[in-house]
């Protein structure tokens, strides 16, 4: 485990070196956050308590989205491009023969990346928004701890989805098209554009049952205090269940891909 801890730290440091890009990202997140915030204000003035949120909760939801956008890599990025290139060139064969688990290696690096983006691109926009809008700021430290745990589980689910997507490159050679489709699904079904509680009828039930809701909707509701007691445990169970299921699916697909590489190499 020490190896994977070192990989996580390396992932954090790697993204910390891009200071100009981080500053540009903070600016972009803040600008888009203000655009979305005023859109939400107009919408909630017409439909108060839409989706079960009051205006302060809705605005907080917007800025949580800006904090989690890159943390969860909802639009892709992170390890995907690098691993996709290694698969395309065949360099992944070297990785498969190394004395380290391929899935855990990339997961550790992605956790380090997510930690940096949560701190580097999540806090500043929230602070800027708090100076302008009436946001919900939990006074109980346990709420913050519960939120952080939910974020960690969400990152693992996000990784597991993206890992499955990038493994398709073993057969497609270039997973660019699949990446774009997965990114669109992530943005829509995570609740990044609108809370999933706003979605009507069966669409809302389906969206909340899909794994993408673990990326944004669940952590936001944990932060806003929607879950308490057993409900909070159920929320964690939902995220952890999808994380385990998707990681196991990724491991199974990785095994098939490994046999493909061995056969071709032989």
């Amino acid at each position: 485990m020490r190896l994977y801890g070192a990989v996580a730290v390396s992932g954090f440091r790697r993204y910390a070196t891009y200071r100009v890009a981080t500053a540009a990202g903070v600016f972009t997140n803040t600008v888009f956050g203000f655009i979305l915030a005023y859109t939400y204000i107009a919408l909630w003035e017409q439909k108060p308590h839409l989706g079960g949120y009051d205006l302060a909760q809705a605005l907080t939801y917007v800025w949580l989205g800006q904090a989690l956008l890159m943390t969860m890599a909802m639009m892709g990025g992170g390890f995907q491009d690098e691993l996709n290139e290694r698969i395309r060139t065949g360099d992944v064969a070297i990785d498969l023969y190394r004395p380290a688990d391929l899935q855990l290696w990339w997961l550790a690096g992605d956790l380090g990346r997510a930690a940096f983006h949560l701190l580097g691109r999540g806090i500043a926009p929230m602070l800027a928004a708090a100076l302008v809008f009436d946001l919900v700021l939990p006074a109980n430290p346990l709420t913050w701890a519960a939120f952080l745990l939910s974020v960690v589980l969400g990152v693992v689910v996000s990784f597991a989805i993206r890992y499955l997507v990038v493994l398709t490159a073993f057969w497609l050679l270039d997973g660019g098209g699949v990446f774009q489709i997965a990114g669109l699904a992530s943005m829509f079904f995570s609740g990044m554009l609108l809370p999933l509680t706003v979605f009507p009828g069966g669409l809302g039930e389906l969206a909340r049952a899909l794994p993408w809701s673990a990326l944004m909707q669940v952590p936001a509701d944990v932060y806003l205090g929607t879950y308490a007691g057993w409900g909070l445990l159920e929320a964690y169970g939902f995220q952890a269940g999808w994380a385990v299921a998707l990681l196991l699916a990724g491991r199974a697909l990785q095994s098939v891909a490994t046999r493909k590489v061995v056969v071709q190499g032989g």
Side-chain angles (χ1 to χ4, degrees):
M1 294 304 294
R2 182 179 298 178
L3 169 64
Y4 302 113
V7 173
V9 172
S10 176
F12 184 97
R13 291 177 175 173
R14 176 182 180 182
Y15 283 88
T17 58
Y18 300 106
R19 298 177 183 176
V20 175
T22 299
V26 169
F27 176 78
T28 302
N29 284 134
T30 303
V31 170
F32 276 96
F34 274 98
I35 294 172
L36 283 174
Y38 284 110
T39 303
Y40 271 48
I41 289 173
L43 183 57
W44 257 256
E45 285 180 349
Q46 296 299 316
K47 299 227 177 236
H49 298 285
L50 181 63
Y53 301 111
D54 60 28
L55 181 57
Q57 291 173 322
L59 290 173
T60 304
Y61 187 95
V62 168
W63 292 100
L64 287 173
Q66 294 306 304
L68 295 178
L69 177 62
M70 290 300 295
T71 302
M72 300 295 179
M74 295 184 194
M75 300 177 68
F79 75 95
Q80 281 181 261
D81 296 334
E82 184 176 351
L83 182 53
N84 179 70
E85 181 64 16
R86 294 188 69 80
I87 293 173
R88 190 186 66 81
T89 60
D91 290 341
V92 71
I94 300 173
D95 301 335
L96 292 170
Y97 284 105
R98 286 175 177 166
D101 186 88
L102 184 69
Q103 188 184 57
L104 289 178
W105 176 280
W106 291 104
L107 173 58
D110 201 55
L111 287 171
R113 175 206 59 79
F116 172 76
H117 282 307
L118 182 63
L119 296 173
R121 292 184 59 167
I123 294 178
M126 284 286 289
L127 291 176
L131 297 175
V132 179
F133 303 107
D134 182 20
L135 302 184
V136 176
L137 298 175
N140 190 343
L142 292 178
T143 302
W144 289 98
F147 168 67
L148 289 176
L149 177 56
S150 183
V151 169
V152 172
L153 290 172
V155 170
V156 176
V157 174
S158 171
F159 166 82
I161 294 172
R162 288 177 288 128
Y163 192 73
L164 278 169
V165 170
V166 78
L167 287 180
T168 62
F170 277 102
W171 291 270
L172 302 177
L173 297 183
D174 184 1
V178 181
F179 291 174
Q180 292 180 4
I181 294 173
L184 291 173
S186 179
M187 291 291 290
F188 185 79
F189 287 111
S190 66
M192 182 66 200
L193 302 178
L194 276 174
L196 300 181
T197 53
V198 173
F199 290 11
L203 176 60
E205 294 178 3
L206 174 64
R208 291 189 292 273
L210 292 174
W212 289 285
S213 65
L215 278 58
M216 172 62 196
Q217 185 69 53
V218 175
D221 281 339
V222 170
Y223 178 93
L224 294 171
T226 303
Y227 300 111
W230 183 252
L232 181 59
L233 293 178
E234 288 182 337
Y236 288 152
F238 173 81
Q239 290 181 293
W242 270 118
V244 171
L246 292 169
L247 287 173
L248 289 176
R251 188 164 291 275
L253 189 59
Q254 175 185 309
S255 298
V256 175
T258 299
R259 288 195 293 271
K260 180 177 184 291
V261 171
V262 171
V263 170
Q264 289 180 343

